[in-house]
Amino acid sequence: MADIMEWYNSIPLFTRHWFGASVFFPIAAKIGLLSPMSLIMTSQFAKNFHLWRPLTAVFYYPTGFHYLMNLFFLYNYSMRLETGPEFMGRPGDYFFLLIFCWISSVLIGYIFNIHLLMDAMVLSVLYIWCQFNKDVIVNFWFGTKMKAMYLPFVLLGFNMLMGGGGLYEIIGILVGHLYYFVMIKYPADTGYRMIETPEIFHHWFRPTATQSGAAFFIPPRTGQTTGQRNDRWGHNWGPGRTLDD
């Protein structure tokens, strides 16, 4: 247990809490401590003052293989963004990324009457990491290699072939692209920012002594990285996954 707690406490702040809540709520519902129907988002959540539902809908997911794959991608890609050069030493900016993606997912989920938001949130973070690391080479099934920029669309196509429909992947890609365009690409192309991270977020979350003061990453005007490279984490993607049951 001590080793597990040591590992858990070593996870960066926002990824740790997101991951922990995504473990707690499904298990609590599985063993009967909470009702799954009280955790999902419904179209009447505002009218009924169930204001917790848009948040718990991000954390709750029925347990199973697909849920475990969501946890895997959440842990890997949220941690990589939070501790990578894009957001290292800028916790307020990363918190704003999560808030931006969450609000966007809630609005789209409300429009399309989607009850679970974990898929969209996880894929939006994955998409953003892939945009920051477009030329990183990742492995997919049977040793297939591709640039990271294609990975979200490969997952979308794979899930559609498996009969999942692909709606949640499309929402995650749209949300991630919206953030990347508004916060990164548009400022890089025009020199003008439409939205800034609220200053209060920087006051709430200050870098720790162990974090660097790396500047917020903005890609070159062309949108290209500095060159092709292998996945710096040496991760093997294995058999892939679906993001929608």
Side-chain angles (χ1 to χ4, degrees):
M1 182 61 70
D3 291 339
I4 294 177
M5 291 305 301
E6 182 178 356
W7 164 78
Y8 180 73
N9 289 328
S10 71
I11 302 173
L13 176 66
F14 300 114
T15 303
R16 180 169 71 247
H17 287 87
W18 185 9
F19 184 86
S22 298
V23 171
F24 170 77
F25 282 101
I27 291 180
K30 184 72 173 181
I31 63 178
L33 292 179
L34 296 172
S35 168
M37 296 305 296
S38 70
L39 302 175
I40 64 174
M41 193 173 77
T42 66
S43 59
Q44 301 296 316
F45 76 89
K47 180 179 179 181
N48 297 328
F49 295 99
H50 294 173
L51 302 183
W52 67 85
R53 289 182 181 272
L55 189 61
T56 56
V58 173
F59 302 137
Y60 172 71
Y61 203 89
T63 55
F65 178 75
H66 186 74
Y67 163 68
L68 293 177
M69 294 306 296
N70 269 342
L71 285 184
F72 174 80
F73 279 89
L74 184 166
Y75 172 80
N76 276 277
Y77 287 95
S78 180
M79 183 168 63
R80 291 176 185 186
L81 273 180
E82 189 173 353
T83 61
E86 301 86 3
F87 292 96
M88 184 64 174
R90 305 297 294 270
D93 288 320
Y94 190 67
F95 181 68
F96 181 66
L97 178 151
L98 295 177
I99 293 296
F100 184 102
C101 292
W102 172 62
I103 292 175
S104 301
S105 297
V106 168
L107 291 176
I108 297 175
Y110 180 81
I111 293 172
F112 289 97
N113 196 28
I114 294 173
H115 303 305
L116 301 174
L117 301 178
M118 180 184 284
D119 287 317
M121 275 294 295
V122 169
L123 192 61
S124 67
V125 169
L126 181 150
Y127 178 90
I128 293 168
W129 181 88
C130 289
Q131 289 299 303
F132 277 124
N133 299 273
K134 293 180 178 180
D135 290 329
V136 171
I137 302 300
V138 296
N139 296 325
F140 197 57
W141 269 30
F142 309 114
T144 303
K145 297 180 183 293
M146 72 190 76
K147 290 185 178 181
M149 62 187 295
Y150 302 122
L151 180 62
F153 304 99
V154 170
L155 292 173
L156 169 61
F158 178 79
N159 190 56
M160 293 178 70
L161 288 175
M162 296 297 292
L167 176 61
Y168 297 159
E169 288 89 344
I170 293 173
I171 293 174
I173 289 172
L174 288 176
V175 169
H177 185 75
L178 179 62
Y179 173 87
Y180 190 81
F181 176 80
V182 169
M183 296 299 294
I184 307 299
K185 191 177 189 319
Y186 184 79
D189 290 343
T190 67
Y192 173 76
R193 287 187 178 275
M194 293 186 288
I195 302 175
E196 294 278 358
T197 299
E199 191 63 31
I200 192 171
F201 289 176
H202 296 303
H203 287 292
W204 285 350
F205 306 106
R206 297 184 181 276
T208 64
T210 60
Q211 291 177 317
S212 72
F216 189 86
F217 178 81
I218 295 182
R221 182 174 288 271
T222 60
Q224 300 297 318
T225 55
T226 56
Q228 184 175 7
R229 62 196 188 278
N230 290 328
D231 190 336
R232 57 189 155 190
W233 293 277
H235 174 63
N236 189 318
W237 283 87
R241 68 187 283 261
T242 61
L243 286 175
D244 184 19
D245 290 332

